[in-house]
Amino acid sequence: MAVSFSGNAKAEICRGIPQRRCCAVAECFGILLFCNCFASDGIRIITESREFAQLLPKLFKKAFSISFDSLPQPDTSGKLVFQINDPQKLELILSTYGFSPRDTVCLHVNLPVVEDACCRTHFLRGAFLAGGSVTDPEKGYHLEL
């Protein structure tokens, strides 16, 4: 199966991991706001990108010093699912972004997380990796988040 231009762009982005913890936190924020499920009762990130799947555990370790509760098996084909269900891990992640597991109804961008220019860049990287696409420049640029 041929890899799309968007898939190649995402693979290239996944080659680097943020150097600063604040940037890793911002990149995770972008991922979480655009992933399958980010709620007080669980996080679920689904991807078909092997490169993104390799980056996720490293990124969450750098940002929060935690690991996923459920990882895809190495030989899994198709969609790869990452989950966090541990209440303590969820509370840590939610509180990092200024949310409370008990009273957060709606998620929004917490501006202090993306205050620095480097963190804004990483936030957008995460949003693109989790929920974005881009078309081949030969066909005219088009970026979606």
Side-chain angles (χ1 to χ4, degrees):
M1 182 171 96
V3 177
S4 68
F5 181 82
S6 191
N8 284 334
K10 289 181 180 186
E12 187 172 330
I13 289 171
C14 288
R15 288 187 191 144
I17 188 164
Q19 296 301 308
R20 298 173 57 192
R21 182 183 174 275
C22 63
C23 292
V25 167
E27 192 161 327
C28 286
F29 198 26
I31 291 167
L32 291 167
L33 290 177
F34 284 85
C35 73
N36 180 264
C37 179
F38 177 31
S40 60
D41 62 345
I43 292 171
R44 184 174 45 257
I45 303 168
I46 301 174
T47 184
E48 290 185 12
S49 168
R50 295 274 170 206
E51 293 84 4
F52 186 37
Q54 291 172 350
L55 174 67
L56 279 170
K58 296 174 198 168
L59 199 53
F60 274 71
K61 182 63 85 178
K62 181 158 189 120
F64 307 109
S65 298
I66 63 169
S67 57
F68 285 94
D69 296 329
S70 173
L71 296 162
Q73 296 298 317
D75 58 347
T76 302
S77 61
K79 296 185 189 234
L80 307 168
V81 180
F82 294 80
Q83 295 186 77
I84 297 175
N85 297 307
D86 180 283
Q88 289 178 319
K89 291 178 184 179
L90 292 167
E91 187 166 353
L92 169 67
I93 293 169
L94 286 163
S95 66
T96 298
Y97 300 122
F99 303 127
S100 166
R102 287 166 287 293
D103 61 10
T104 297
V105 176
C106 162
L107 300 174
H108 59 279
V109 176
N110 187 347
L111 294 178
V113 175
V114 294
E115 189 171 354
D116 295 334
C118 59
C119 294
R120 281 191 296 274
T121 300
H122 283 280
F123 173 81
L124 290 172
R125 278 172 44 126
F128 176 68
L129 287 170
S133 67
V134 64
T135 59
D136 188 336
E138 298 293 322
K139 300 175 184 172
Y141 284 109
H142 181 81
L143 172 68
E144 286 185 29
L145 293 178

